[in-house]
Amino acid sequence: MIGINTKLANKLNQRIADGSLRTLKNHDGLVDFCSNDYLGLASSTVLEKAIAKEVTNYGPVHGATGSRLLSGNTLLAEEVEQYLSRLFMSEGALLFNSGYSANLALLSSIPQKGDTIVYDQLAHACIKDGARLSPAKRYSFLHNDLKDLEGKLKKAEGNIFIIVESVYSMDGDICPLHDLVILAQRYSAALIIDEAHSTGVYGPQGAGMVIAEGLAEHFFARIHTFGKGMGVHGAAIVGSTTLLQYMVNFARPFIYTTAMPSHGLIALRAAFDHLGDNQQLQQELTEKISLFQNYFEEYSPPQNGYLRVPSDSPIQAILIPGNERVKVVSRQLMEQGYDVRPILSPTVKKGEERLRVCLHTYNSDSEIKGLIATLLSLQ
C-alpha cells in the first residue's frame, strides 16, 4: 500500500513534469505590475496616518475574540455595515473576512435542492466551490456569452441564480451588465455579482461597476472585496435585510468564523473615506490603462507580436501559450526589474497561459513603456 506522503509526492512530481508547480515567492524591489493594489491605497502613507488616528479612538483592536454570534459583534462592526449599506445603495451589508468566504457563504446557503445555479465559466474558484457546496443543480455558460447563458436558462428549474463577475480576474474584461439584466428579467432569475476587481476602481467612492451603471436594484446580491482596489482587507455581501438575516442564521462560513478585528474595520472605513476625498485616483488609473493599450498596440501589432486580451480594466493579459514558455518570459522580465507573474494552466485553460499585467496609479509612464519595450525585445 502506497503511503500518503508518497501519493502526495507523486502528485507534486506530476506538477513539476507539466510545468505547473506552484511555489511561494518574494520579489521585493521590482516595479510592481503584479499586485491588485490598483489605486495605490495599500501603500498610501496618507491612508496609513488616517487609520492610525482612528485606531486611537477604539482602544485595543487587534483581536475580535470570537464569531459575530458570540463575542465578535461590536458597535463598530454594525456602524461599518451601515456605512457600507449607504455607500453601496442597499438595504444592508454583512461583513466577511474575505471575498472567498463571502462567496462560499452565499452560494452554499441560498440556492436549495430543486433550484439552479448558472455561472460564467471564467468565474473565480470561490464561486465554483460555493456552487459545488449547494444542493442545487449547476451549469456553466461560455464566458460573457449571453446566447449560451439563455440556452442554460431554458433548462433551469426552481429558483434560478445567475452568477457573474463585473471585472474578470484573468482576462480583465467586463460583464455586459445591461444585456444581462434584461435576460435575467425574461427568465425571472436572481442576479448575483462578484465586484472584487471593480470595487474601488469604478463608481462613486469606489462603489463598483453595478452602481456606476445604475443597476443596483436589479441584483439580488453583490459581493464586494476590499483587499484589491481598496488596499485593505475583508469583504461584504450587500442585499436585502431578509437575505442578510437569513445568512446570519444559515451561512456556515459566517456562523463559525471568527469576526474581523476592529483594526480591519477601521481601516476599511478609512479607505473608503480616503477614496471619497481622492476620487481623481480613478481617472489617473484610467489614463495609465489608456497609455498601456495605445503603446502596446502601436509597438506590438497582433499580426507580428504578442496577443493582448481586449480589456479596458487595469488587468491586461498577454497570451504566451505554454507553461514553460510563459514562465521563462516572466523570469526574464523580473531580471530586468519588472514584477509580472505568469498565469499557468490549470488556473487558465491549457494553451491560454499568459502574463497578467496589473496597472496601478503609481506606475510611471516610463515604467509602463519600459515594461512593454522589454517584453517586445524578448520575442
Side-chain angles (χ1 to χ4, degrees):
M1 181 170 152
I2 300 176
I4 294 175
N5 280 325
T6 300
K7 288 185 176 181
L8 300 182
N10 288 342
K11 295 288 284 185
L12 289 171
N13 288 333
Q14 182 58 50
R15 282 284 172 94
I16 293 172
D18 61 25
S20 62
L21 183 71
R22 298 182 177 101
T23 59
L24 298 176
K25 299 175 182 177
N26 190 319
H27 296 288
D28 289 343
L30 303 181
V31 179
D32 179 12
F33 285 105
C34 168
S35 79
N36 297 318
D37 185 26
Y38 308 122
L39 301 173
L41 299 187
S43 56
S44 168
T45 56
V46 175
L47 177 56
E48 179 185 26
K49 291 176 182 177
I51 294 170
K53 182 179 179 180
E54 281 295 304
V55 164
T56 60
N57 297 326
Y58 287 91
V61 295
H62 47 273
T65 76
S67 71
R68 289 285 295 279
L69 288 168
L70 294 176
S71 59
N73 195 43
T74 62
L75 179 60
L76 175 61
E78 294 180 354
E79 289 175 348
V80 171
E81 286 175 336
Q82 292 167 5
Y83 175 99
L84 295 174
S85 177
R86 292 190 297 271
L87 191 146
F88 295 127
M89 300 182 186
S90 64
E91 286 186 17
L94 189 64
L95 287 162
F96 287 82
N97 289 306
S98 70
Y100 203 109
S101 62
N103 274 301
L104 286 185
L106 182 66
L107 296 176
S108 65
S109 65
I110 300 298
Q112 301 296 312
K113 186 175 182 179
D115 294 339
T116 305
I117 297 170
V118 190
Y119 60 89
D120 190 291
Q121 68 175 7
L122 294 190
H124 191 270
C126 62
I127 291 174
K128 297 174 182 177
D129 288 350
R132 291 189 187 103
L133 291 172
S134 168
K137 290 183 179 180
R138 63 183 187 273
Y139 303 102
S140 65
F141 64 94
L142 297 175
H143 177 52
N144 275 348
D145 187 331
L146 299 190
K147 183 177 180 181
D148 189 56
L149 169 58
E150 184 166 17
K152 301 302 192 301
L153 293 176
K154 289 177 179 178
K155 299 190 296 183
E157 301 172 350
N159 292 314
I160 305 170
F161 299 87
I162 301 173
I163 300 99
V164 296
E165 299 180 30
S166 47
V167 177
Y168 285 87
S169 60
M170 290 296 107
D171 283 21
D173 56 350
I174 294 169
C175 179
L177 293 178
H178 289 272
D179 291 337
L180 177 68
V181 165
I182 294 171
L183 183 59
Q185 290 175 336
R186 188 182 306 156
Y187 287 87
S188 300
L191 282 173
I192 298 173
I193 189 165
D194 186 332
E195 295 246 46
H197 291 275
S198 65
T199 303
V201 176
Y202 300 97
Q205 205 172 338
M209 185 76 72
V210 169
I211 294 292
E213 296 297 320
L215 298 172
E217 64 184 289
H218 299 291
F219 283 81
F220 170 71
R222 287 171 278 147
I223 300 92
H224 289 275
T225 299
F226 310 128
K228 296 177 173 60
M230 295 309 302
V232 284
H233 197 68
I237 295 174
V238 301
S240 71
T241 53
T242 300
L243 164 65
L244 302 180
Q245 187 60 42
Y246 179 91
M247 296 196 66
V248 168
N249 282 273
F250 293 98
R252 294 169 67 86
F254 176 84
I255 296 168
Y256 298 109
T257 299
T258 300
M260 288 180 64
S262 295
H263 186 281
L265 300 174
I266 292 166
L268 194 166
R269 185 166 60 184
F272 277 105
D273 283 344
H274 177 78
L275 184 54
D277 293 334
N278 295 274
Q279 197 76 32
Q280 80 282 352
L281 289 172
Q282 292 181 340
Q283 180 56 39
E284 291 175 14
L285 182 59
T286 298
E287 292 169 359
K288 301 296 183 182
I289 296 168
S290 295
L291 173 65
F292 182 93
Q293 292 171 324
N294 294 335
Y295 199 80
F296 186 90
E297 295 305 322
E298 180 179 356
Y299 291 97
S300 182
Q303 63 270 23
N304 60 3
Y306 293 109
L307 179 61
R308 182 182 70 87
V309 177
S311 166
D312 290 325
S313 80
I315 301 167
Q316 300 289 319
I318 312 299
L319 297 183
I320 303 177
N323 280 348
E324 290 302 330
R325 183 183 175 210
V326 73
K327 286 195 296 184
V328 167
V329 175
S330 172
R331 184 172 63 251
Q332 290 173 325
L333 288 172
M334 289 182 182
E335 290 171 354
Q336 297 300 314
Y338 300 102
D339 191 356
V340 181
R341 304 295 173 89
I343 306 298
L344 312 176
S345 60
T347 299
V348 293
K349 184 178 178 181
K350 189 174 179 62
E352 296 184 3
E353 296 83 2
R354 77 275 309 272
L355 296 175
R356 180 177 182 265
V357 178
C358 291
L359 301 172
H360 315 90
T361 54
Y362 51 80
N363 292 137
S364 69
D365 291 1
S366 61
E367 288 171 343
I368 293 172
K369 292 179 179 179
L371 168 65
I372 295 171
T374 303
L375 176 62
L376 297 184
S377 72
L378 301 176
Q379 288 184 327

